[in-house]
Amino acid sequence: MKQENEFVENTQVENTQKLSEKSRWETFSKSFLQAEKGFLFMLTQQGRQNTKTTMLFIMLTVALSTIALFVYANNPINYNAGCDIACYKDSDCNDDPGTTDKCNNGGTCNSQCTNINIAQPNSSPTETSTIENHNQEANKGNWKKIKNRYKVQKHETDIEIGNEKADYFEPSVKFTKWNGENYLKLTMNETGFETSSLSGKKIKTENSKKGLSIYTVESGLKFIITFKTKPLTNTYSFDINGWEEFDFFYQTPLSEEFGEMEEYVGDDGDIWIRPANYASLDSYSERPLDVDGSYAVYHKTKRDQVIGEVDYETGKFMHILVPKATDAGGNVSWTEIFIKDGTYTVTIPQKFLDEANYPIKINDTFGYTGIPLTGGTSTVGTFYSNGYSAPENGSATAMHLWTKSDLSSKLTMGLYNDDSGPSSKLRDTEEVDFPSVASDVAATLDTPLDITSGTIYHLAYMAGGESAKQIYDTGTDVDLYYKTGQQYVSGTLPASISSPSFVSGRRYGFYVTYTPSAADSCSCPSSGHWEITSGDVCTLSTECSLSGGDLHIVDGSLTIVNGVTLDIPTGYKIIIDKASGSKLIVEKGGKVVIEK
């Protein structure tokens, strides 16, 4: 979420030594190859004339290789631990000669890169191996290039840039999560990017009108677009593939709820906004500036932590933040974004384009963590809840909540029945501590709770002290219910809640941990194979047409009653495991049809 306000992008290279080692190895390799070519040329001219001369040059070649390798291993380039980028060549100095470089004790980038220190000869092998081990660890998360595609993994999200099947560079980014179950791919509606390159940890490409620079930061991916000259229109767009399975919730500007807002620097160094009169309010909302007017992206149905399967957490897939435009003179303007029916459109203020010093850069940021990004104050003695529909039958054992507190404080969570809002309590959790930074807090239910698919349960909490922070997204399909004047008791929420108030569309970072109930193998599946297991005694009393699968009775029986037909598609069959005593019984009037 952090906003860069420099015209030159400020990125951190985590693997400085690895890059330096690579550059140093390339330098050595070139020197050695040049010497070797000289020897080989001489061999070509003289080798056939004199066998002894040939052997002499081979021995000299091997000796040179050995000496060079020894010098390389015992004279490593040494950098201070605080370096953010190796000052090895001018292009590494934040892409701009004359800017301040952080290598060693600082300095100014120049074409000679004089800030390199050479370690003393005879450095110990132990030190060298330690650096190598550190480099291997730091190298995790680096881009991997396959033709015109780049891949990396961050926060359990697979990120792909480009398309390896294309013979040009495709300006696209694809996010894949949850063991590959779901993805979103955004492709910029722009052509002419023939090639791309990897500079440090930035992917770069350009055409006649625009340049792109793409790289990851801790919580998201930066997609920097450079307009070399004034564009013909003040909009650009991306096509979104995979959007049909997701909800894109617009984060309405807080000024529409609270009026005048003020900016301040948050604990994370970002620029945040809050109501100008926040000090006189009992409760208020605050958020990073680039969240105001952004989109929170949630899956339509998937959420919760499923034991033995996938941890969907809150069901949040990503967050598309509001881009900022910066011109060559340092002038800044915020854009507006709009997402509908698979198209993401960015609008740049026309006045900014008319008056800008070109080139200008637009800072698109795609956040790939599942954390809600708006915060609010939590009042002592107030009960808060969201209602969610259980995705399947199972047994809930724990609850989770994304939250934080500026002071040492406690909280208790619980599950409630739904009656147009929270009503009677079903379970409490243990009391747990609030974290000092925004985190996923987990608490175990006092006893497991059987949940039923499609039933709404309210996930609730109360804070045991001041300065607790609510963390949520707005404009969603889930309402916040709250009830003031409640007594906080450690590990015990109120037995029931009557006539709560509510705020529309405020979705907290709640989810549950549950174990799914054993599947019923007697139900005719909508697609795929039908396996009857676990000794189930099944009766088919309605028509069943399998789609793309066999009927396999592994352990159990199936009876097809009078007037009912089981249809097996072409190319599939019926398998009955006799060793387990399995049976298929077709009553008079029942029928099995195996399509040819």
Side-chain angles (χ1 to χ4, degrees):
M1 294 188 307
K2 189 173 182 60
Q3 296 296 313
E4 288 79 11
N5 196 23
E6 303 93 345
F7 173 65
V8 178
E9 303 146 28
N10 179 19
T11 183
Q12 291 190 346
V13 176
E14 303 164 354
N15 195 14
T16 299
Q17 292 183 343
K18 190 73 173 181
L19 291 171
S20 305
E21 290 286 314
K22 179 181 177 183
S23 299
R24 185 151 43 92
W25 173 253
E26 290 174 347
T27 302
F28 158 72
S29 299
K30 290 177 182 177
S31 299
F32 170 68
L33 288 173
Q34 289 173 355
E36 186 179 39
K37 286 178 181 178
F39 284 119
L40 290 174
F41 175 78
M42 296 175 69
L43 282 173
T44 303
Q45 301 298 317
Q46 303 180 29
R48 294 179 180 177
Q49 301 175 16
N50 190 321
T51 304
K52 289 183 179 181
T53 302
T54 301
M55 294 302 298
L56 174 62
F57 280 113
I58 291 173
M59 292 170 65
L60 287 171
T61 302
V62 173
L64 178 60
S65 303
T66 305
I67 292 169
L69 285 168
F70 178 81
V71 172
Y72 171 79
N74 288 279
N75 288 275
I77 295 175
N78 184 36
Y79 296 94
N80 287 352
C83 284
D84 74 335
I85 194 162
C87 185
Y88 196 78
K89 56 186 179 181
D90 184 54
S91 62
D92 285 333
C93 296
N94 291 326
D95 303 323
D96 189 13
T99 61
T100 301
D101 181 65
K102 296 182 181 178
C103 287
N104 296 289
N105 294 318
T108 301
C109 292
N110 53 63
S111 58
Q112 289 76 36
C113 287
T114 56
N115 289 334
I116 297 176
N117 291 337
I118 304 298
Q120 294 299 318
N122 303 318
S123 299
S124 69
T126 302
E127 291 174 352
T128 303
S129 63
T130 300
I131 290 173
E132 290 172 354
N133 290 336
H134 169 74
N135 288 337
Q136 291 172 3
E137 188 67 24
N139 197 40
K140 292 180 179 179
N142 287 348
W143 291 107
K144 296 179 181 179
K145 184 177 182 181
I146 306 172
K147 295 184 179 179
N148 281 319
R149 182 186 67 163
Y150 301 81
K151 284 189 73 172
V152 74
Q153 186 179 69
K154 294 283 187 178
H155 295 284
E156 300 182 0
T157 301
D158 292 320
I159 306 170
E160 297 179 32
I161 306 297
N163 184 346
E164 67 179 280
K165 296 181 180 179
D167 56 5
Y168 58 91
F169 180 76
E170 178 185 88
S172 64
V173 53
K174 180 180 179 181
F175 301 92
T176 304
K177 297 180 75 167
W178 303 329
N179 294 344
E181 288 185 10
N182 292 97
Y183 76 93
L184 281 174
K185 181 179 179 180
L186 296 92
T187 304
M188 187 179 182
N189 290 307
E190 182 79 17
T191 59
F193 299 105
E194 298 298 329
T195 61
S196 63
S197 62
L198 188 61
S199 175
K201 290 197 173 183
K202 295 180 183 178
I203 299 165
K204 294 191 173 185
T205 186
E206 64 178 336
N207 61 17
S208 60
K209 298 179 180 179
K210 295 181 179 69
L212 302 180
S213 181
I214 306 165
Y215 57 94
T216 61
V217 292
E218 177 58 27
S219 59
L221 179 116
K222 295 286 187 181
F223 197 101
I224 310 298
I225 305 170
T226 300
F227 290 81
K228 299 177 182 180
T229 59
K230 182 180 176 181
L232 295 178
T233 68
N234 67 334
T235 65
Y236 62 90
S237 65
F238 294 78
D239 290 332
I240 306 176
N241 290 336
W243 64 273
E244 295 88 349
E245 295 191 52
F246 295 91
D247 288 318
F248 295 79
F249 296 124
Y250 180 63
Q251 304 301 285
T252 303
L254 294 179
S255 60
E256 294 189 17
E257 179 181 355
F258 294 99
E260 183 182 356
M261 307 297 291
E262 69 174 20
E263 297 181 2
Y264 69 100
V265 179
D267 294 338
D268 55 3
D270 290 349
I271 302 299
W272 285 56
I273 57 171
R274 63 190 174 195
N277 61 339
Y278 77 95
S280 63
L281 300 175
D282 292 332
S283 64
Y284 60 89
S285 297
E286 57 190 354
R287 59 170 53 141
L289 189 53
D290 56 356
V291 176
D292 221 38
S294 64
Y295 283 85
V297 185
Y298 284 81
H299 195 274
K300 289 181 180 294
T301 59
K302 294 177 180 178
R303 55 170 291 111
D304 300 318
Q305 181 182 26
V306 188
I307 299 298
E309 298 181 23
V310 179
D311 185 0
Y312 302 109
E313 296 188 357
T314 63
K316 186 173 183 179
F317 191 84
M318 66 184 301
H319 203 112
I320 300 176
L321 299 168
V322 179
K324 180 176 63 175
T326 306
D327 75 358
N331 301 302
V332 172
S333 179
W334 289 95
T335 65
E336 292 184 357
I337 62 177
F338 181 68
I339 298 175
K340 184 177 181 181
D341 296 338
T343 301
Y344 163 47
T345 303
V346 179
T347 300
I348 311 165
Q350 187 62 52
K351 186 174 186 293
F352 175 80
L353 294 178
D354 293 341
E355 300 174 356
N357 298 309
Y358 286 86
I360 65 170
K361 294 192 177 185
I362 312 292
N363 182 3
D364 278 87
T365 305
F366 305 105
Y368 38 62
T369 64
I371 307 172
L373 294 182
T374 298
T377 53
S378 181
T379 307
V380 174
T382 300
F383 168 99
Y384 301 94
S385 80
N386 281 152
Y388 299 96
S389 176
E392 59 184 324
N393 295 336
S395 177
T397 54
M399 290 182 61
H400 300 254
L401 176 65
W402 279 94
T403 188
K404 65 167 285 187
S405 178
D406 296 334
L407 302 174
S408 177
S409 186
K410 305 283 186 180
L411 76 136
T412 300
M413 291 183 271
L415 288 169
Y416 284 74
N417 279 322
D418 174 72
D419 184 9
S420 299
S423 55
S424 59
K425 184 175 66 177
L426 299 169
R427 295 289 188 276
D428 287 308
T429 70
E430 60 185 325
E431 184 181 57
V432 293
D433 293 326
F434 268 102
S436 57
V437 296
S439 304
D440 178 352
V441 177
T444 303
L445 295 175
D446 46 19
T447 59
L449 175 68
D450 288 337
I451 56 175
T452 303
S453 177
T455 299
I456 295 176
Y457 297 91
H458 280 262
L459 284 63
Y461 90 98
M462 286 185 65
E466 297 285 356
S467 296
K469 297 290 185 181
Q470 308 167 13
I471 300 177
Y472 49 86
D473 285 319
T474 61
T476 74
D477 56 348
V478 177
D479 296 333
L480 168 70
Y481 290 87
Y482 66 97
K483 180 76 172 181
T484 60
Q486 305 301 299
Q487 180 67 38
Y488 178 81
V489 178
S490 172
T492 305
L493 294 186
S496 62
I497 298 294
S498 61
S499 303
S501 302
F502 76 95
V503 177
S504 178
R506 188 172 291 186
R507 184 167 180 163
Y508 280 37
F510 280 120
Y511 66 99
V512 301
T513 297
Y514 73 92
T515 302
S517 299
D520 174 15
S521 70
C522 286
S523 299
C524 174
S526 58
S527 63
H529 299 294
W530 182 5
E531 287 193 348
I532 296 175
T533 61
S534 305
D536 287 347
V537 178
C538 305
T539 300
L540 185 63
S541 56
T542 58
E543 298 293 312
C544 173
S545 294
L546 296 184
S547 175
D550 302 322
L551 167 63
H552 187 183
I553 307 177
V554 180
D555 178 20
S557 66
L558 174 63
T559 300
I560 302 174
V561 302
N562 179 31
V564 173
T565 300
L566 170 64
D567 189 84
I568 308 295
T570 303
Y572 295 94
K573 54 190 176 295
I574 296 174
I575 305 168
I576 303 172
D577 292 355
K578 293 183 178 180
S580 61
S582 298
K583 295 182 292 185
L584 173 61
I585 302 167
V586 182
E587 294 183 349
K588 185 178 179 179
K591 189 166 31 175
V592 175
V593 177
I594 302 178
E595 304 288 348
K596 292 184 179 181

